């Protein structure tokens, strides 16, 4: 009956991608503490990872009814609707999260991504600006914004901002030329016709 232990087991099972077993553990925890928001949140995210989006929405809406101020749950629902290409609903839930807590970096990043998917690029750009104010360091946000600028054909600023990727730890590990101190190509190094 130890909810923390049961949820710990469930989370381990999720990390091992044993989603059916994880769902069973979260349901066992709910039998001890019905409608507990954090358990429901864990169940929603498990269903999401298992790509059982309809079940995730069903549980998420139930959890939200019990705790309408749960920002992480609002963002999970937003993410589910984004995966389902229901962009208006995704944006609605993201906006609700921002109304509750306007200083959540993840909310601004998600809103920018949703707006970008909706081809509302100017609004997405404003969201990236808000996210950059909250991020420390802002390299991840700058990198994401650069991708949008490249998509829109704004190559000068897009390529310049794209260099922020070099500061991201995850991408540094994937940059063997940089690690080996090899000379990086730069457009000024390109051969010019005679």
């Amino acid at each position: 009956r130890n909810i923390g232990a049961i949820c710990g087991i469930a989370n381990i099972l999720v990390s091992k991608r044993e989603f059916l077993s994880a769902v069973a553990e979260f349901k066992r925890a709910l039998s001890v503490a019905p409608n507990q928001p954090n358990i429901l949140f864990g169940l929603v995210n498990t269903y999401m990872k298992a790509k059982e989006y309809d079940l995730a929405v069903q549980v998420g809406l139930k959890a939200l009814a019990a705790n309408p101020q749960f920002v992480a749950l609002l963002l999970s629902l937003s993410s589910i609707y984004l995966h389902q290409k229901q962009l208006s609903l995704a944006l609605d839930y993201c906006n609700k999260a921002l109304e509750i807590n306007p200083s959540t970096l993840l909310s601004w990043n998600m809103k920018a991504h949703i707006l970008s998917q909706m081809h509302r690029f100017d609004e997405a750009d404003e969201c990236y600006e808000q996210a950059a104010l909250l991020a420390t360091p802002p390299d991840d946000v700058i990198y994401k914004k650069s991708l949008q600028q490249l998509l829109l054909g704004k190559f000068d600023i897009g390529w310049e901002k794209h260099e922020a990727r070099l500061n991201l730890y995850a991408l540094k590990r994937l940059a063997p030329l940089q690690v080996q101190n090899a000379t990086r190509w730069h457009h000024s190094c390109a051969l010019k016709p005679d």
Side-chain angles (χ1 to χ4, degrees):
R1 296 185 63 83
N2 183 328
I3 297 168
I6 296 169
C7 290
I9 292 167
N11 287 323
I12 290 168
L13 290 166
V14 169
S15 71
K16 294 170 76 176
R17 304 189 61 76
E18 296 178 22
F19 300 124
L20 287 176
S21 299
V23 165
E25 291 299 321
F26 279 122
K27 286 184 176 180
R28 186 160 68 105
L30 286 169
S31 72
V32 176
N35 295 322
Q36 210 280 342
N38 288 326
I39 300 171
L40 289 167
F41 178 66
L43 186 55
V44 167
N45 286 326
T46 302
Y47 280 135
M48 278 179 62
K49 288 179 181 177
K51 298 185 179 175
E52 295 284 350
Y53 298 123
D54 291 338
L55 290 170
V57 167
Q58 183 182 356
V59 173
L61 292 175
K62 178 182 176 184
L64 201 58
N67 192 347
Q69 303 293 306
F70 198 160
V71 171
L73 185 57
L74 288 164
L75 292 176
S76 287
L77 285 166
S78 179
S79 182
I80 293 165
Y81 287 125
L82 178 61
H83 283 292
Q84 293 180 319
K85 305 293 185 206
Q86 297 183 47
L87 300 179
S88 293
L89 281 171
L91 185 59
D92 288 345
Y93 280 96
C94 194
N95 282 333
K96 286 177 187 175
L98 282 166
E99 285 172 19
I100 295 165
N101 186 352
S103 61
T104 307
L105 175 62
L106 181 58
S107 299
W108 286 109
N109 272 328
M110 184 172 287
K111 184 173 180 178
H113 181 68
I114 294 165
L115 288 167
S116 210
Q117 294 292 307
M118 297 172 91
H119 296 235
R120 292 164 58 178
F121 299 113
D122 290 340
E123 293 171 79
D125 201 43
E126 291 171 17
C127 292
Y128 282 128
E129 292 297 324
Q130 285 295 324
L133 294 173
L134 296 170
T136 356
D139 297 314
D140 185 52
V141 177
I142 292 168
Y143 172 68
K144 289 174 184 172
K145 186 176 174 180
S146 78
L147 295 176
Q148 178 177 288
Q149 290 165 330
L150 291 170
L151 176 72
L152 295 173
K154 300 177 180 177
F155 297 116
D156 286 346
I157 190 78
W159 284 123
E160 179 186 325
K161 301 284 185 195
H162 195 66
E163 293 299 294
R165 77 191 189 287
L166 301 175
N167 296 328
L168 301 175
Y169 175 72
L171 291 174
K172 273 186 184 179
R173 291 188 353 218
L174 300 175
L177 292 178
Q178 184 182 7
V179 172
Q180 297 169 5
N181 295 322
T183 304
R184 290 186 60 239
W185 183 88
H186 188 271
H187 66 85
S188 64
C189 299
L191 294 174
K192 297 189 168 103
D194 290 333

